[in-house]
Amino acid sequence: MTGRPRPAIAALPAYRPGRSAAAAEADHGVVDAIKLASNELPFGPLPSVAGAIAAGIEHLHLYADHGASALRQALAAHVGVDLDQVAIGAGSAGILQQIVLAYVDTSEEVAMCWPSFEAYPVFAMLVEAEQIRVPLRDEVFDLPALAAAIGPQTKVAFVTNPNNPTGTVVGTDEIAAFLAAVPDTCLVVLDEAYNEFVDDPRVADSTPLLQQHANLVITRTFSKAHGLAGLRVGYAVGHRDAIAMIDRTLVPFAINELAQRAALASLAAVDEMRVRVAMVIEERARVRDALRTRGWTTPDPQGNFVWLPVGDVASDLGVALERHGVVARPFPDVGVRITISDRAGNDRFLAALDATGVSPR
Ligand code: PMP
């Protein structure tokens, strides 16, 4: 007997990361596969960030600062909030899990639109919460329907902007109306993991909403635009009382020394980060147009990925792309998500898509 694990954990599906290029190569006998399955940047760390990581190595015999005070301070200044309004976590996934642990008891409810980030249901199941899943409307978060689904037992509602996997956004005005409609007994988590890639003018800075809504927490990450997915740094911004509760669920020293140094250096190089993001946005428009020219339906992409809502051929299309050396992210019976890469990587995706022989839909 291996002890007595909680039944809820035994029933929990493991988080499903994007498949590696090596796995696709082994399965399909292809060489030089490219992974476009996890919405990673196609660039390595900026030189100043690599330097900061190298300089941190000699400190690795010591515990890092549990409170990540220097990073917290820099983020507070960057976002324009007080120091006690920022929590740092191990990736924004870490922060999202901390939020669910801090706020949701067994049998209480977590609300979201669906499909969305696949970790939300896992976190809900971890605490044995009920899930309220409101369907997207035309691939977009349906905020009026989500607001209507929130009841007295709903402790957390996720709003993902841009949404993963569809890449769609809702306007800041719509989020303001949603917050006005939601009771303040429900914490609204605005997941802005892909915020830096948004160029839709309907989306403005969401942080002013914090002034009117103490039940709003905004989460962001260094994994996407900052290109530091492997280091695990995310953060939450919100009311100091909410932040204090979120902080209590942080695993001791979860934000490691190299991660703290790299994130600080990346914040200091925000202009260079924006140049890279601009390249991704330009490539995203090119891929979107290329897809539409070929006859594919794809909603306006606002993250660093495109979405093909192909329904029941999603899994087959995912396998067919892998056979042509491109690892995308199929969501069975829903669609396929493909990360925007550099120009050469995107051209490989478009060529692979053509070569699959799957007709545009
Ligand atoms: N939110 C969304 C919507 C995501 O897509 C992801 C990663 N795929 C995350 C949060 C978590 O990213 P990380 O933990 O690397 O910050």
Side-chain angles (χ1 to χ4, degrees), residues 15 90-94 96 117 120 160 164 191 193-194 221 223-224 232:
Y15 178 72
S92 58
L96 295 166
F117 183 33
Y120 304 149
T160 319
N164 167 17
D191 179 342
Y194 301 98
T221 183
S223 297
K224 306 298 178 183
R232 315 306 302 128

Side-chain angles (χ1 to χ4, degrees), residues 140-189:
V140 180
F141 249 66
D142 187 347
L143 291 182
L146 185 61
I150 291 171
Q153 288 293 102
T154 315
K155 300 293 285 293
V156 165
F158 291 109
V159 177
T160 319
N161 207 38
N163 186 40
N164 167 17
T166 56
T168 53
V169 289
V170 287
T172 309
D173 291 353
E174 294 167 75
I175 295 173
F178 173 76
L179 285 162
V182 170
D184 62 7
T185 48
C186 176
L187 189 79
V188 173
V189 178

Side-chain angles (χ1 to χ4, degrees), residues 12-360:
L12 200 64
Y15 178 72
R16 202 172 53 97
R19 264 161 65 78
S20 68
E25 288 167 1
D27 283 3
H28 305 295
V30 294
V31 290
D32 203 19
I34 179 174
K35 179 190 176 204
L36 303 177
S38 296
N39 296 344
E40 297 150 328
L41 273 201
F43 319 110
L46 292 167
S48 61
V49 175
I53 293 167
I57 290 175
E58 64 185 82
H59 299 269
L60 288 183
H61 59 302
L62 304 173
Y63 287 108
D65 173 11
H66 174 72
S69 349
L71 178 57
R72 211 178 266 244
Q73 210 142 20
L75 277 170
H78 177 73
V79 177
V81 295
D82 294 336
L83 188 59
D84 57 5
Q85 289 187 271
V86 182
I88 320 278
S92 58
I95 281 279
L96 295 166
Q97 187 188 77
Q98 285 181 251
I99 291 171
V100 173
L101 289 175
Y103 276 84
V104 190
D105 261 326
T106 303
S107 303
E108 294 179 334
E109 295 163 356
V110 172
M112 64 198 85
C113 283
W114 199 254
S116 190
F117 183 33
E118 286 179 302
Y120 304 149
V122 177
F123 298 151
M125 289 172 78
L126 203 59
V127 296
E128 297 177 66
E130 301 294 328
Q131 293 173 43
I132 300 176
R133 295 189 189 185
V134 174
L136 299 176
R137 191 189 169 106
D138 298 332
E139 313 294 334
V140 180
F141 249 66
D142 187 347
L143 291 182
L146 185 61
I150 291 171
Q153 288 293 102
T154 315
K155 300 293 285 293
V156 165
F158 291 109
V159 177
T160 319
N161 207 38
N163 186 40
N164 167 17
T166 56
T168 53
V169 289
V170 287
T172 309
D173 291 353
E174 294 167 75
I175 295 173
F178 173 76
L179 285 162
V182 170
D184 62 7
T185 48
C186 176
L187 189 79
V188 173
V189 178
L190 179 56
D191 179 342
E192 293 189 336
Y194 301 98
N195 169 262
E196 294 89 342
F197 299 103
V198 174
D199 65 359
D200 186 322
R202 293 174 303 150
V203 181
D205 178 13
S206 56
T207 53
L209 294 169
L210 292 168
Q211 282 153 28
Q212 298 114 51
H213 301 284
N215 62 326
L216 170 65
V217 168
I218 301 165
T219 61
R220 293 187 188 154
T221 183
F222 283 85
S223 297
K224 306 298 178 183
H226 287 270
L228 295 173
L231 277 175
R232 315 306 302 128
V233 194
Y235 60 101
V237 185
H239 190 281
R240 59 180 53 79
D241 294 347
I243 293 300
M245 291 302 110
I246 294 166
D247 268 341
R248 288 192 192 185
T249 60
L250 179 67
V251 171
F253 311 108
I255 310 120
N256 72 70
E257 180 72 29
L258 303 186
Q260 295 191 31
R261 286 172 180 262
L264 258 178
S266 197
L267 265 189
V270 78
D271 291 344
E272 284 173 83
M273 180 275 274
R274 292 205 190 286
V275 171
R276 291 176 153 198
V277 166
M279 286 192 262
V280 171
I281 291 174
E282 200 180 312
E283 274 298 295
R284 178 180 75 191
R286 188 177 73 87
V287 173
R288 176 201 62 201
D289 293 348
L291 288 169
R292 289 180 178 166
T293 303
R294 285 162 163 78
W296 293 92
T297 299
T298 188
D300 185 40
Q302 290 289 306
N304 63 335
F305 53 93
V306 289
W307 174 242
L308 295 175
V310 294
D312 59 7
V313 302
S315 297
D316 290 348
L317 181 58
V319 171
L321 284 168
E322 283 196 7
R323 289 205 178 103
H324 291 93
V326 172
V327 185
R329 181 68 166 257
F331 292 73
D333 298 318
V334 191
V336 180
R337 190 192 74 196
I338 306 98
T339 303
I340 295 296
S341 182
D342 56 14
R343 193 176 178 93
N346 298 330
D347 283 341
R348 282 192 61 186
F349 157 59
L350 292 168
L353 184 63
D354 293 344
T356 61
V358 177
S359 47

